[in-house]
Amino acid sequence: MLLALACVKPQLAVLLPVALLAGRQWRAIAAAVATGLLLVLASAAWISPLAWIDWITALREQGDYAARWIGANRQPTVAATLTLFGMDRASGLAVQAAVTAAVVLGVAVAWRRGPSTAAAGAVLAGALLATPYGFNYDLPVATAAVVALAAGRRRVSWPEAAVMAATLLLPMVQHLTSRFVWTAPLT
């Protein structure tokens, strides 16, 4: 049921269906779908069914709005990073789509054997890589990914430790410096 609530931030929940299907988590899928439908019906009854039509219409425009009004230096995504380096938005989104496809494949492979802490970490880390609409305030998900990926490991190599430490520190650095220095690509 909690998975349906994660869809409040759909760009961060896009990999959940991939993970659940790959892991054959039929009960979780059924519970998430049922809860999601219940929430949709309740909100339609409370507000109006037209609110969902308006939301879907606004959703298509949100990406263009974010690209125009929120600086790429505050968007730690592949597409935004490429625009910082001079690539046009359409090409950046094409590369983003390729990265997203690779992340989807990686999450599916990670979940083939069912749920695990490492598989959950793959979904969390992948969520930040797969979306073209991430913002610096979404980066606490990276902390959860590091914790999930490191949990249960007896040893971590120094390159892994360096990447994990950077993943923990760079969101804070980006938040503090994004007005002056482009740290989003590093993040």
Side-chain angles (χ1 to χ4, degrees):
M1 289 171 52
L2 291 174
L3 296 177
L5 297 176
C7 292
V8 168
K9 296 280 292 180
Q11 72 271 27
L12 296 180
V14 71
L15 294 174
L16 290 176
V18 173
L20 295 175
L21 287 169
R24 297 176 203 84
Q25 300 298 307
W26 311 121
R27 287 183 9 197
I29 292 169
V33 168
T35 303
L37 286 174
L38 180 66
L39 291 171
V40 167
L41 292 173
S43 64
W46 183 35
I47 301 170
S48 164
L50 297 176
W52 282 100
I53 295 168
D54 292 343
W55 180 77
I56 291 168
T57 302
L59 188 63
R60 283 184 250 152
E61 298 167 1
Q62 178 63 25
D64 292 334
Y65 172 81
R68 274 193 317 272
W69 297 105
I70 299 172
N73 58 323
R74 292 186 172 232
Q75 299 178 51
T77 66
V78 172
T81 297
L82 293 173
T83 60
L84 280 175
F85 292 128
M87 187 177 280
D88 65 279
R89 181 159 164 73
S91 299
L93 288 173
V95 173
Q96 177 72 63
V99 169
T100 300
V103 169
V104 165
L105 180 63
V107 167
V109 168
W111 275 80
R112 260 190 334 196
R113 293 190 182 111
S116 69
T117 307
V123 169
L124 292 166
L128 296 173
L129 287 171
T131 181
Y133 304 115
F135 302 102
N136 56 2
Y137 54 74
D138 294 326
L139 290 173
V141 171
T143 301
V146 168
V147 170
L149 291 169
R153 305 230 3 227
R154 296 176 92 188
R155 301 191 86 198
V156 176
S157 69
W158 73 264
E160 291 172 318
V163 169
M164 289 179 181
T167 303
L168 294 173
L169 293 174
L170 281 171
M172 180 178 57
V173 170
Q174 182 191 356
H175 177 70
L176 295 173
T177 64
S178 64
R179 293 183 191 154
F180 316 108
V181 180
W182 292 349
T183 56
L186 293 172
T187 309

